[in-house]
Amino acid sequence: KPIFDTPPPNLPETLIGKTCVVTSGSVTSKGGEAHYATGQAPLILTVKSNSDEQLDRGQTAVITDYQADTNTYLVEAEREETI
């Protein structure tokens, strides 16, 4: 039995609502790639836009859902909040 009982980090469910940065040329409803910062090596995520919107390289996106059957995260562009 392990001395420390720590949950595995970065489970798909825990990434929903977090932000990632598009690293492929673009992200569309057909697919793309993004990095999620972990404080150590970033996670490379397979992502799809959850709308017809295209996200470009370097753009920040919010993870909105996870599709376990395809190991793909659905993302949308991060909206700037206006005060």
Side-chain angles (χ1 to χ4, degrees):
K1 182 176 174 178
I3 296 174
F4 299 104
D5 187 22
T6 57
N10 305 315
L11 293 172
E13 307 79 46
T14 65
L15 300 184
I16 294 172
K18 308 283 185 177
T19 59
C20 58
V21 177
V22 175
T23 54
S24 56
S26 65
V27 170
T28 65
S29 59
K30 294 185 178 180
E33 196 172 88
H35 281 185
Y36 171 74
T38 64
Q40 297 176 2
L43 294 179
I44 300 170
L45 308 177
T46 301
V47 296
K48 289 182 182 178
S49 174
N50 63 0
S51 67
D52 290 333
E53 179 179 33
Q54 176 177 310
L55 289 78
D56 298 317
R57 182 191 305 264
Q59 191 170 355
T60 301
V62 178
I63 300 167
T64 59
D65 201 4
Y66 174 69
Q67 298 177 326
D69 57 332
T70 58
N71 193 31
T72 302
Y73 294 85
L74 295 180
V75 297
E76 63 184 30
E78 182 178 50
R79 306 281 180 231
E80 290 186 22
E81 293 183 23
T82 56
I83 298 174

